[in-house]
Amino acid sequence: MENRSYFARLLAVALSILLLAAIVIYYQGSHRAGETLVNEFEEREANTAEVVAWLLAEKAPYAGDAALRARIHELGTHLKVRITYIAAGKVLADSEVPDQDLGKLEDHSDRPEIITALASGTGKSTRFSATLQTQMLYVARKIGGLAGVPDGVLRIASPYSAVQTELTQSSQRFLAVVGVMALCAAALAFFLIRRTQGALRAFSEVVSQMDAPEASDKIRVCPGSEFKPLMDSINTLAKRNRKHLRHLLDTRSQFEAVLAKMNDGVAILDEQGSILAHNDALAALLGSRSGDCSGRHMLEAGLGLELFEAVSEALRAPDPQPIRFQARLADGPDVDVDVAPYTTQKGKRRMVLVLHDVTPIKNAERILREFVIKASHELRTPLTSIQGYAATLVESPPNDPEQMDKMLGTILKRSQEMSGIVTDLLHTASPQAEKAQG
């Protein structure tokens, strides 16, 4: 049994998490470094604008706009930046635009950096240049007091390409580092999972097979000493569950044997009157045409409307009580019915239905009634005759001996007829009663 501490592997995972945290910190540091790089770039360009303004002031006064343009072209060439001088929204000079094309440039008075510079002395903005197809930084500085030049704004434009290149390289290095770390972490996680998966599978197998009486009830591999109490608990639970399951199966077999040998039909009904389970005696009572009645409704199985209404009324009662009554099934058999309600652990109502066939008793009662009626009818005529002659002999006996002998002879004859009738009725009734009971 493997008893190495699972904490060691958990520690390895924790180290992986710490490594991931280091990567996040590194990324945040790189991000701040990028921001610092951008700030330095913007500060450098602001200093460049200040130097250009100083250099322009050094050459003052200017003999008109042409001299200003020449000076801006010269500075732009040496400093390798784009320099623009704007007065009242009009571009008076641009180091990268020929003098003859300056009139074609649009009004710059709505540029954000121009508006800010006119308001506070300096301004900057970043935007995409459709002309150069790159992100540009624009730094503006308010200029005034240059002799020969109207007051305006000096603007420096520099592309972000250098900064973006450095940032891209840093991002690529970061992605490479993160990729390597991710692969290492994935490999470590895969190794730990594979090592633990096989051991934990025994836990799930034992738990999933608790309903199988012959399955193994013991976990034999422990993924770590921390899991041993859990493993022992599951093993104990599985063993106890297996014992209870065998007991339940034995009890079920006993009940099934008892139900199979019962002559009375037994069925379990749900709230809708459907048959959930029954014994063979019920199927025999309902007739061979019914077959297996499980899952069928009472009416469909042939239990009859009278029985269905009684069961439905019992199910609707707030506090159902056992009831007993007699009913006739759809096929005609007469039965004594016992209904015993109960409630499942989930709160669902069920009914135990027991049917005792009383058809032979009903047939015997019918034969008895027919026998009594037939005997009464057959015996009434001779009995009446005997009673009449006997009353005559008692009340007014005849004086003629011959007439008296005739009356006594009639009484004897009628009594013999009654004796024959009784004998015939007994012989007739006995085979019919035996047939009805069989």
Side-chain angles (χ1 to χ4, degrees):
M1 180 179 294
E2 186 179 5
N3 281 323
R4 289 190 306 163
S5 174
Y6 191 77
F7 182 78
R9 278 161 281 179
L10 186 62
L11 181 61
V13 175
L15 291 176
S16 300
I17 296 175
L18 291 176
L19 181 61
L20 180 62
I23 293 174
V24 173
I25 294 174
Y26 171 76
Y27 171 75
Q28 292 178 348
S30 299
H31 181 70
R32 285 195 292 269
E35 291 181 348
T36 301
L37 186 63
V38 171
N39 292 334
E40 290 178 352
F41 173 70
E42 293 177 353
E43 185 178 354
R44 184 175 68 246
E45 294 307 310
N47 293 334
T48 301
E50 186 176 353
V51 170
V52 171
W54 181 79
L55 293 174
L56 286 177
E58 188 183 24
K59 293 294 184 178
Y62 292 95
D65 294 345
L68 177 64
R69 296 188 190 102
R71 181 58 176 168
I72 286 179
H73 279 288
E74 180 184 3
L75 294 175
T77 302
H78 286 86
L79 299 177
K80 301 185 182 303
V81 294
R82 182 179 179 181
I83 305 173
T84 307
Y85 192 85
I86 304 158
K90 181 180 180 181
V91 179
L92 299 182
D94 193 304
S95 62
E96 295 185 3
V97 178
D99 295 347
Q100 64 271 17
D101 294 336
L102 291 176
K104 299 178 182 179
L105 297 178
E106 59 186 6
D107 185 90
H108 280 47
S109 60
D110 59 347
R111 298 295 193 269
E113 68 277 3
I114 303 299
I115 296 174
T116 305
L118 290 174
S120 60
T122 60
K124 67 177 181 179
S125 68
T126 302
R127 61 179 178 272
F128 184 78
S129 174
T131 304
L132 300 177
Q133 293 296 308
T134 186
Q135 195 77 3
M136 299 292 292
L137 172 65
Y138 296 95
V139 179
R141 185 182 183 86
K142 185 178 181 181
I143 301 295
L146 289 178
V149 178
D151 294 344
V153 176
L154 176 67
R155 189 182 72 176
I156 302 297
S158 299
Y160 266 106
S161 57
V163 178
Q164 290 175 342
T165 300
E166 188 170 349
L167 289 175
T168 300
Q169 292 175 352
S170 299
S171 298
Q172 290 174 350
R173 289 192 297 269
F174 166 72
L175 289 176
V177 172
V178 171
V180 172
M181 294 299 180
L183 289 176
C184 293
L188 178 61
F190 179 77
F191 172 76
L192 292 176
I193 291 173
R194 292 288 294 178
R195 292 279 296 175
T196 309
Q197 187 177 24
L200 292 180
R201 189 178 295 114
F203 283 73
S204 61
E205 288 179 355
V206 170
V207 174
S208 62
Q209 295 178 3
M210 280 187 177
D211 57 346
E214 304 302 328
S216 174
D217 58 355
K218 187 175 183 181
I219 300 174
R220 304 184 183 279
V221 179
C222 182
S225 58
E226 292 82 3
F227 283 88
K228 193 173 186 307
L230 176 61
M231 183 189 73
D232 294 339
S233 299
I234 292 179
N235 286 339
T236 302
L237 178 63
K239 185 176 181 180
R240 186 183 305 148
N241 184 76
R242 207 81 65 208
K243 182 178 179 181
H244 290 170
L245 182 60
R246 293 191 184 101
H247 176 70
L248 290 176
L249 291 177
D250 292 342
T251 304
R252 177 180 177 180
S253 299
Q254 294 172 5
F255 278 111
E256 288 179 348
V258 171
L259 291 175
K261 295 300 181 180
M262 288 181 62
N263 293 325
D264 294 341
V266 181
I268 306 297
L269 308 177
D270 63 8
E271 294 175 329
Q272 287 73 38
S274 297
I275 299 175
L276 300 178
H278 66 88
N279 63 350
D280 295 337
L282 181 72
L285 184 61
L286 296 177
S288 58
R289 65 178 180 83
S290 298
D292 185 8
C293 301
S294 298
R296 302 171 68 181
H297 195 269
M298 294 175 58
L299 296 176
E300 181 186 359
L303 289 173
L305 182 60
E306 181 181 0
L307 190 57
F308 171 69
E309 290 178 347
V311 171
S312 299
E313 184 178 354
L315 285 171
R316 287 193 299 267
D319 185 18
Q321 298 295 327
I323 56 175
R324 169 175 286 189
F325 58 93
Q326 286 190 346
R328 171 165 290 188
L329 303 183
D331 294 345
D334 295 303
V335 291
D336 279 339
V337 182
D338 287 289
V339 179
Y342 70 96
T343 304
T344 66
Q345 291 184 350
K346 294 184 178 180
K348 296 182 178 180
R349 288 188 176 181
R350 296 288 186 264
M351 285 284 181
V352 178
L353 187 68
V354 181
L355 305 180
H356 177 66
D357 188 5
V358 294
T359 303
I361 299 176
K362 292 291 185 180
N363 289 338
E365 292 176 352
R366 176 179 53 79
I367 292 174
L368 180 59
R369 288 194 300 271
E370 292 176 354
F371 173 79
V372 172
I373 293 173
K374 184 175 181 181
S376 300
H377 178 72
E378 293 292 337
L379 294 175
R380 182 176 291 115
T381 300
L383 184 59
T384 302
S385 178
I386 292 173
Q387 287 177 342
Y389 282 111
T392 301
L393 290 174
V394 171
E395 295 176 358
S396 54
N399 296 324
D400 185 0
E402 184 179 352
Q403 187 178 2
M404 180 177 291
D405 292 339
K406 184 178 179 181
M407 294 177 66
L408 291 174
T410 301
I411 290 174
L412 178 62
K413 181 180 178 181
R414 296 303 182 191
S415 63
Q416 291 174 346
E417 290 178 357
M418 288 178 61
S419 177
I421 291 172
V422 170
T423 301
D424 291 341
L425 288 176
L426 290 175
H427 284 292
T428 302
S430 296
Q432 290 179 350
E434 292 176 359
K435 183 179 179 181
Q437 292 176 358

